[in-house]
Amino acid sequence: MGALFARRGVFLLLVVMLGFCAAFAGAWAGRRVLAPEPPMESRFHTLIHHDLALDAGQQARIAALETRYEAQRAQTDAAMRADNRQLAEAIRTEHGYGPRVAGAVDRSHQAMGLLQKQTLQHLFAMRAVLRADQAARFDAAMVEALTAPTR
């Protein structure tokens, strides 16, 4: 009788271990297959700071460019938030697509366009720091980012 319980115990232990292994394998496969691609900003950051093998001078120049861009971006983000508040107020007041809403939308689009221009200027300023071989990889990554299908 004791041998029967021992076999059941071993069998139960094997089933539990097999279940754990299957769950672990499923979670691992799900993360590998179904995990979203990192955002383009992260991929550019990885490219610039890890994949391009920048020398110390390049790193310092790019760090200065990034500091300047972050300050500029913070100002533009604040302006966009203010534009959104104005748009919300116009919607609350007009309850439709009236002249205040249209004006607020136009101001919001101007701020978004400014952010896009500032971002491109920042990217090209960083590109100017790169050697020709690094710039070619940078260009390829930028073209990929602009032409990749959206999900």
Side-chain angles (χ1 to χ4, degrees):
M1 186 82 159
L4 181 62
F5 284 123
R7 276 198 234 160
R8 279 190 180 162
V10 170
F11 178 73
L12 217 58
L13 182 63
L14 287 173
V15 168
V16 168
M17 287 175 53
L18 182 62
F20 175 79
C21 290
F24 182 79
W28 178 83
R31 287 196 45 93
R32 297 286 288 171
V33 174
L34 301 176
E37 247 184 82
M40 185 49 65
E41 296 87 14
S42 295
R43 293 197 328 235
F44 257 92
H45 188 271
T46 299
L47 173 76
I48 291 168
H49 293 284
H50 301 288
D51 298 345
L52 293 182
L54 302 175
D55 63 37
Q58 289 174 311
Q59 289 175 3
R61 290 170 60 197
I62 285 179
L65 291 170
E66 287 180 334
T67 299
R68 187 171 40 239
Y69 174 71
E70 286 306 317
Q72 195 177 43
R73 173 142 186 177
Q75 289 177 338
T76 305
D77 285 345
M80 288 193 313
R81 284 190 303 278
D83 290 340
N84 284 340
R85 285 190 299 274
Q86 289 177 355
L87 176 58
E89 179 60 29
I91 289 170
R92 190 166 55 85
T93 302
E94 291 184 327
H95 303 288
Y97 196 84
R100 288 188 64 201
V101 170
V105 167
D106 289 342
R107 283 188 299 281
S108 177
H109 287 176
Q110 288 174 348
M112 284 186 249
L114 176 61
L115 178 60
Q116 186 176 33
K117 289 175 185 178
Q118 290 170 339
T119 300
L120 287 169
Q121 290 167 347
H122 170 64
L123 290 171
F124 285 119
M126 286 193 304
R127 185 188 186 283
V129 172
L130 304 176
R131 295 185 316 266
D133 61 312
Q134 294 168 323
R137 290 181 64 197
F138 182 91
D139 292 347
M142 193 181 300
V143 168
E144 178 187 349
L146 293 171
T147 59
T150 58
R151 294 182 188 175

